Amino acid sequence: LGPGNCTFILGSQLSATGVRGQFLGVAAAVGKLGAFLGTYIFPYVVALGGDSDVLSAQYPFYVASSLSLVACGIAYFLIPEMTQDQIALEDERFRAFLEENNYDTRQLGLKKGETVEDM
């Protein structure tokens, strides 16, 4: 278990079926961007400690623990509660959004080979 698993669990549970692939793609891209930025910035964080071996070893831990606290706040306050029916609820909300904006939703949920006239 780790951040990668949580990224894809949240992406699959908090998005409607019709846009889930795009949502997971964005989540993966943001994860890759974070990994790149962390690798790029790490030498600068170590350099903040100056010539002191102790401080240059401590600063990365200060930065990482600060980012962990920020992530904890985001997870606690901004991510909605996930229930067993979350996917069905998101699908209903997505369909309602599409219908409010005059999209044709008659074909949503049809199996391969089915048509609107068969219903």
Side-chain angles (χ1 to χ4, degrees):
L1 294 175
N5 291 340
C6 291
T7 300
F8 293 111
I9 288 172
L10 288 175
S12 65
Q13 291 288 318
L14 296 178
S15 60
T17 303
V19 293
R20 188 170 297 138
Q22 292 172 337
F23 194 83
L24 290 173
V26 169
V30 169
K32 308 285 187 285
L33 180 65
F36 169 75
L37 289 176
T39 304
Y40 182 76
I41 292 173
F42 186 78
Y44 297 106
V45 173
V46 172
L48 289 174
D51 294 332
S52 171
D53 289 338
V54 173
L55 288 179
S56 35
Q58 287 178 343
Y59 279 15
F61 289 103
Y62 293 150
V63 170
S65 61
S66 300
L67 290 174
S68 295
L69 290 174
V70 169
C72 181
I74 289 171
Y76 188 76
F77 293 110
L78 299 179
I79 296 176
E81 182 179 348
M82 290 189 296
T83 62
Q84 294 294 328
D85 301 325
Q86 189 70 32
I87 293 174
L89 180 62
E90 287 300 321
D91 285 344
E92 289 173 18
R93 288 180 182 163
F94 185 60
R95 181 181 286 260
F97 169 79
L98 291 175
E99 289 172 352
E100 278 179 15
N101 292 292
N102 300 321
Y103 285 93
D104 183 15
T105 59
R106 292 179 295 158
Q107 295 183 19
L108 284 177
L110 294 180
K111 293 183 174 65
K112 187 175 182 178
E114 287 184 334
T115 63
V116 177
E117 291 78 29
D118 293 339
M119 296 182 77

